[in-house]
Amino acid sequence: VSIALVLPSAGSGRRLDAGRPKALVEVAGVPIIRRTIERFASLAGLVELVGVAPPGAVLEFNEALVGLELRGCEIRVVAGGESRQDSVRAGLAALTKDAEIVCVHDAARPLVGKETIDAVIEAARLSGAATAASRPADSVREDDGEGLTRPLDRERLWLVETPQAFAAELLRQAHARARATGLQATDDASLVDSCGHPVVIVDSAGGNIKVTRPEDLDLVEAILAKEP
Ligand code: CTP
Ligand code: MG
């Protein structure tokens, strides 16, 4: 199958507070987005890749990706929007190759495993929609908004991650519908779900961390140092 990869990276990185876009922050000398893209380097069928940058940082993103070559894959950077959903929509609009599968992956998850990527793509190929996810390590309670909380069964909960992958047309429809109805969601699987299309879960088995706070940079560096 042909695959397009959209990398939403247009957030402000407020919690990381690095004074620059999160995806450009370096871990052991390499920008996070570059590390993330390298995880997809051996993905068969990848025909194009669109990085979605904060509007003022497109040039800087292009600089961070200089010399990066993925066999048969075109690499482009476009400007994102106010919300992650806006940014993914901008990335979708910039695709030109008519790939059958669109994979969306947060640039902020540079440790994603190859097995997880392959399993998400394969599940999307078979069923139309899939996401990586993992089980919570902590116990979880739900707030009823009126000062009371109740415990949830964590064995039935999934923490939703990326990569997420979809039949291209389904994802486009889901974004168009969300726009028309005003639906806002923090991930693409939620949009596809709201169209009545089930989303297959692929257990990433943890480790697919999203760089969010400063201490996550040290964690990612330490984990990379242990990789073979
Ligand atoms: N994202 C995006 N466009 C936005 C907001 C978020 O492309 N308007 C992307 C981020 O760049 C990131 C992913 O969505 O790769 C997940 O978001 P998050 O981890 O929350 O990153 P930020 O929004 O940048 O961080 P913060 O919430 O701390 O400001
Ligand atoms: Mg955010």
Side-chain angles (χ1 to χ4, degrees):
V1 291
S2 54
I3 303 161
L5 175 61
V6 174
L7 294 152
S9 335
S12 54
R14 195 178 35 80
R15 286 167 290 181
L16 190 64
D17 196 23
R20 56 190 315 206
K22 182 152 83 178
L24 297 179
V25 172
E26 294 185 359
V27 173
V30 179
I32 289 174
I33 189 167
R34 206 170 161 114
R35 292 197 173 277
T36 302
I37 290 172
E38 278 166 357
R39 297 296 209 188
F40 288 81
S42 62
L43 180 60
L46 190 60
V47 291
E48 69 179 320
L49 177 165
V50 172
V52 188
V58 173
L59 213 71
E60 250 188 299
F61 268 62
N62 275 314
E63 275 161 19
L65 300 185
V66 162
L68 195 62
E69 289 212 17
L70 303 186
R71 198 166 14 97
C73 176
E74 222 170 80
I75 300 179
R76 204 163 329 112
V77 178
V78 300
E82 287 279 305
S83 68
R84 183 184 183 281
Q85 190 173 318
D86 295 331
S87 297
V88 172
R89 195 174 63 242
L92 283 178
L95 297 178
T96 62
K97 303 253 177 185
D98 214 18
E100 294 152 81
I101 298 283
V102 176
C103 180
V104 181
H105 182 64
D106 291 331
R109 294 187 190 270
L111 295 182
V112 61
K114 187 172 169 12
E115 318 70 52
T116 298
I117 295 171
D118 289 346
V120 168
I121 300 282
E122 179 62 7
R125 203 176 63 74
L126 294 174
S127 77
T131 183
S134 57
R135 295 295 195 185
D138 297 326
S139 298
V140 185
R141 297 181 69 89
E142 182 179 45
D143 195 323
D144 73 353
E146 291 167 2
L148 288 179
T149 63
R150 67 180 179 99
L152 296 180
D153 180 1
R154 76 176 174 206
E155 311 228 311
R156 298 181 57 183
L157 297 176
W158 287 104
L159 303 175
V160 175
E161 304 169 352
T162 65
Q164 303 190 340
F166 310 92
E169 200 40 45
L170 175 62
L171 183 60
R172 279 184 217 286
Q173 274 172 20
H175 270 268
R177 190 163 177 279
R179 201 167 193 203
T181 61
L183 174 66
Q184 308 246 19
T186 53
D187 76 320
D188 300 281
S190 303
L191 300 183
V192 164
D193 214 275
S194 77
C195 293
H197 193 105
V199 176
V200 172
I201 297 277
V202 170
D203 191 346
S204 74
N208 182 18
I209 65 174
K210 187 176 70 166
V211 174
T212 305
R213 296 181 183 81
E215 58 270 29
D216 296 332
L217 293 171
D218 297 331
L219 187 58
V220 168
E221 187 165 346
I223 292 168
L224 284 170
K226 284 198 163 181
E227 279 189 356

